[in-house]
């Protein structure tokens, strides 16, 4: 049974989500604040974290950063903020997905299932000097580990699964978020830029290819 850590200060929302997710087969641990959530996380690492943005003691973005600094667990943020800039900021802080309040529990459940499905698998994919270990969620370039966020790992895994194929922005959104994002969203661009920077920092130049107006691909050769 998968375990979810719910960090939410509103007891009514927390109770509702515990009931809904419990009926879906999840065990839900509830923490009413950011600090108590971080303590619960250290005591028992869950399979996924649901994090409310408006906590009374710590900003949700700060909690996400602290979680991401030490854990690879997926994070879904609950937020009342619908501005694109805020959503991009949340993803940069380490969140894997977000859902805007008010929402239907069925939508949250669908997002949870997408995140957990991305973490399953047991194969290893090699593209040139890159090695992507799906089950261990590790990436190596010529023996050196590259530390990626969960969403960066999923993006690289997707591109590596069919090296040479150009994935459109819409395909990436559907595969990584289970839906198409807002028309003016630049979330995919942010993750691509972060992934490219980390690959280059490790010496993996030229692997990530941008096809202007079409999409992105991973290619075998080491140079642009």
């Amino acid at each position: 049974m998968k375990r979810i850590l719910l960090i939410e200060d509103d007891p009514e929302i927390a109770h509702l989500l515990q009931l809904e997710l419990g009926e879906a087969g999840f065990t839900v641990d509830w923490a009413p604040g950011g600090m108590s959530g971080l303590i619960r996380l250290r005591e028992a690492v869950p399979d996924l974290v649901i994090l409310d943005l408006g906590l009374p003691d710590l900003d949700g973005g700060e909690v996400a950063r602290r979680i991401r600094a030490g854990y690879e667990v997926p994070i879904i943020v609950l937020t009342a903020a619908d501005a694109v800039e805020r959503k991009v900021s949340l993803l940069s802080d380490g969140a894997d997905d977000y859902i805007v309040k008010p929402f239907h529990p069925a939508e949250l459940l669908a997002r949870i299932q997408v995140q957990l499905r991305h973490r399953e698998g047991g194969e290893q994919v090699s593209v040139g000097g890159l090695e992507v270990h799906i089950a261990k969620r590790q990436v190596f370039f010529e023996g050196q580990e590259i530390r990626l966020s969960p969403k960066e790992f999923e993006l690289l895994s997707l591109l590596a699964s069919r090296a040479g194929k150009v994935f459109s922005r819409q395909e990436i959104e559907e595969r990584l978020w289970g839906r198409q994002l807002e028309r003016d969203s630049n979330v995919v661009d942010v993750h691509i830029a972060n992934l490219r920077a980390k690959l280059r920092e490790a010496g993996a130049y030229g692997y990530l290819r941008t096809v202007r107006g079409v999409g992105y691909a991973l290619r075998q050769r080491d140079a642009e």
Side-chain angles (χ1 to χ4, degrees):
M1 183 177 290
K2 299 292 186 182
R3 182 176 296 276
I4 293 175
L5 174 59
L6 172 62
I7 306 177
E8 165 64 64
D9 66 312
D10 188 321
E12 292 187 8
I13 294 177
H15 180 64
L16 172 63
L17 293 180
Q18 282 182 305
L19 288 177
E20 294 284 347
L21 297 178
E23 290 181 359
F26 295 99
T27 297
V28 182
D29 297 326
W30 174 43
M35 289 305 300
S36 59
L38 292 171
I39 291 171
R40 294 293 293 270
L41 182 72
R42 287 195 293 269
E43 292 174 345
V45 180
D47 295 289
L48 182 140
V49 173
I50 299 174
L51 173 63
D52 181 42
L53 191 62
L55 298 172
D57 53 349
L58 283 177
D59 176 73
E62 175 62 23
V63 176
R65 286 191 292 273
R66 293 191 188 188
I67 294 175
R68 186 57 65 233
Y71 303 91
E72 295 298 321
V73 58
I75 303 170
I76 298 178
V77 170
L78 310 181
T79 176
D82 198 26
V84 172
E85 294 80 5
R86 183 52 172 152
K87 294 173 184 176
V88 171
S89 174
L90 290 172
L91 295 168
S92 298
D93 287 337
D96 296 280
D97 200 358
Y98 58 83
I99 185 167
V100 178
K101 296 178 180 180
F103 58 86
H104 194 283
E107 181 182 1
L108 176 60
L109 179 60
R111 306 283 184 91
I112 291 170
Q113 291 170 336
V114 167
Q115 292 301 322
L116 294 178
R117 187 165 61 245
H118 286 164
R119 298 183 70 82
E120 297 175 353
E123 74 231 55
Q124 173 182 327
V125 180
S126 297
V127 181
L130 276 172
E131 294 181 0
V132 183
H133 298 257
I134 305 300
K136 295 181 179 179
R137 298 184 69 83
Q138 291 179 301
V139 176
F140 296 87
F141 177 67
E142 296 182 350
Q144 174 188 348
E145 184 173 5
I146 304 173
R147 298 298 298 271
L148 302 178
S149 73
K151 194 59 70 179
E152 291 163 0
F153 178 85
E154 291 162 14
L155 176 56
L156 181 60
S157 298
L158 173 63
L159 298 178
S161 69
R162 297 184 63 184
K165 168 183 165 56
V166 179
F167 288 85
S168 69
R169 184 187 307 274
Q170 290 73 26
E171 286 179 289
I172 292 173
E173 291 174 350
E174 290 285 354
R175 293 288 292 275
L176 268 63
W177 284 275
R179 69 192 191 284
Q180 289 192 12
L181 304 179
E182 291 83 352
R183 186 182 301 273
D184 58 349
S185 173
N186 65 343
V187 168
V188 173
D189 303 278
V190 170
H191 284 297
I192 286 286
N194 291 340
L195 177 58
R196 176 177 279 119
K198 290 183 179 181
L199 291 177
R200 287 177 173 172
E201 184 178 353
Y205 295 96
Y207 278 86
L208 189 53
R209 176 188 176 208
T210 299
V211 181
R212 191 174 300 278
V214 182
Y216 306 95
L218 201 68
R219 57 184 176 186
Q220 296 270 3
R221 61 196 185 93
D222 297 24
E224 295 282 4

